[in-house]
Amino acid sequence: SDFNAVAEVDLVIEAVFEDMALKKKIFADLDRLTRPGTILATNTSTLDVNEIAGATGRPQDVLGMHFFSPANVMKLLEIVRGAATAPDVLVSAMEIGKAIGKVPVTVGVCYGFVGNRMLHARGGQVERLLLEGASPKDIDAAATGFGFLMGPCAVGDLAGLDVGWRIRKEAGRKAIVADAICELGRFGQKTGKGYFLYEAGSRAPVPDPEIDALIDTLAAANGITRRTIDAGEIRERLIYPLVNEGARILEEGIAERSSDIDLIWINGYGFPVGRGGPMFYADTVGLAQVAERLAHYAAITGDEKMKPAPLLERLAQAGKTFAEFRGA
């Protein structure tokens, strides 16, 4: 409750909402008030850690410590290495993460880092599937059938749909269905309505005809003829975009190895442990098959983002796996 108290600490973790101007102001204040050598960490889930570090005169002491919600339960801790982050600062953050019972994984700087960048890739497919003919219930049933404890629509309702809405507005991005739902004041469980309805005192999602009608209207307004989409297609279009984005992340060096990506998705996003994580799962399916299915969906949907990533194509053609990849 007293900002000046930071003068006595060894580590500060900032956790205000996703507003770059506010974060930069706080880090400028931290730079002024904390003693030399204090580690300055941001809990941002999407913003540029290097830009935040630039608000200080000591970027070597700045890094990301991205806790996953709810932070007292979720094990994952993304340690975001900035361009100037000193090695001893990075090691200290990793050790702190282990000491408090987290699973720390080092990642590089990009929009959404590893976990949320991949989540956004899946979110784009959720939007497309809804507009093309699937219902929230259909999508969540395909996800839980694969082994997730909750589907993406129910997860959004639990987390609060307004969180992603705020992030999209900050980034100048749009999501046709999710934005329209938020504009109705439906933010999920906390308002009793989101993708689903929630009866008083219950967390059980109930399909809502009002949402079905809204999606029909949005699809028609965007010239989309809806169709029946089977569970197999839904499942592949939820999982394979994760793999595809993971391949891009690996090739860019944002993650050091495919097993790091798997740790992130198992410990931060509830990817079924028995499937081994998205990259391990893709290796077991066979990268040639994954690449073929992605190319198929890119062709039938016109979605360029579904085209197989260059690394995925190269490994598939060589008959290799993500586990064998050791950098470009």
Side-chain angles (χ1 to χ4, degrees):
S1 59
D2 178 7
F3 209 108
N4 291 312
V6 298
E8 304 301 321
V9 304
D10 300 313
L11 165 70
V12 179
I13 303 174
E14 162 276 315
V16 302
F17 56 86
E18 297 289 82
D19 182 292
M20 179 60 85
L22 177 59
K23 288 182 185 286
K24 288 168 78 170
K25 179 185 183 305
I26 288 172
F27 272 77
D29 290 340
L30 291 174
D31 187 30
R32 176 172 51 85
L33 293 169
T34 56
R35 60 195 176 200
T38 299
I39 297 174
L40 306 180
T42 173
N43 182 52
T44 182
S45 57
T46 57
L47 300 180
D48 187 338
V49 173
N50 292 325
E51 185 175 347
I52 293 170
T56 76
R58 44 169 139 172
Q60 71 278 4
D61 293 333
V62 179
L63 81 173
M65 291 182 72
H66 178 211
F67 291 78
F68 281 68
S69 179
N72 62 316
V73 175
M74 300 301 287
K75 291 287 188 183
L76 178 63
L77 175 59
E78 279 185 323
I79 305 291
V80 188
R81 179 187 64 249
T85 303
D88 62 325
V89 171
L90 187 65
V91 170
S92 294
M94 292 290 285
E95 291 300 326
I96 290 164
K98 292 174 186 175
I100 61 175
K102 300 301 182 185
V103 177
V105 182
T106 303
V107 300
V109 175
C110 65
Y111 182 82
F113 315 126
V114 171
N116 279 343
R117 176 171 162 180
M118 291 170 67
L119 184 68
H120 292 160
R122 187 180 74 174
Q125 283 307 301
V126 170
E127 280 277 314
R128 282 181 167 270
L129 285 164
L130 289 168
L131 289 168
E132 290 174 27
S135 69
K137 181 182 177 182
D138 295 334
I139 291 171
D140 282 14
T144 56
F146 182 77
F148 283 92
L149 293 178
M150 296 177 71
C153 296
V155 167
D157 281 353
L158 175 63
L161 300 178
D162 54 319
V163 177
W165 191 34
R166 185 184 298 118
I167 291 171
R168 287 192 297 276
K169 286 195 286 187
E170 172 83 10
R173 295 166 46 242
K174 293 185 179 297
I176 294 171
V177 178
D179 289 353
I181 291 173
C182 288
E183 286 161 9
L184 293 173
R186 301 177 63 124
F187 298 152
Q189 289 190 17
K190 61 188 172 187
T191 58
K193 294 180 178 181
Y195 286 103
F196 298 101
L197 285 173
Y198 298 88
E199 297 175 358
S202 172
R203 291 184 178 272
V206 178
D208 186 353
E210 184 179 328
I211 290 299
D212 295 334
L214 173 66
I215 295 170
D216 279 337
T217 300
L218 293 170
N222 285 274
I224 299 169
T225 301
R226 304 188 81 215
R227 61 185 173 88
T228 300
I229 305 178
D230 65 49
E233 178 178 341
I234 295 172
R235 182 174 61 252
E236 289 184 341
R237 289 177 63 181
L238 292 178
I239 304 303
Y240 291 168
L242 296 178
V243 175
N244 213 25
E245 199 62 34
R248 296 186 183 102
I249 285 166
L250 274 178
E251 188 158 30
E252 293 169 19
I254 300 298
E256 190 170 335
R257 57 186 73 83
S258 63
S259 59
D260 284 353
I261 296 174
D262 290 334
L263 278 174
I264 287 169
W265 266 80
I266 288 170
N267 290 285
Y269 298 88
F271 198 95
V273 177
R275 303 282 192 177
M279 312 311 281
F280 182 89
Y281 174 71
D283 283 347
T284 64
V285 170
L287 299 191
Q289 181 174 331
V290 174
E292 184 278 324
R293 297 307 291 163
L294 282 165
H296 166 72
Y297 291 125
I300 67 170
T301 65
D303 184 358
E304 292 286 314
K305 293 178 182 177
M306 289 287 273
K307 287 185 175 180
L311 175 61
L312 173 57
E313 283 198 314
R314 290 201 307 274
L315 292 175
Q317 290 167 5
K320 293 187 175 181
T321 64
F322 286 124
E324 294 174 280
F325 180 70
R326 289 294 180 270

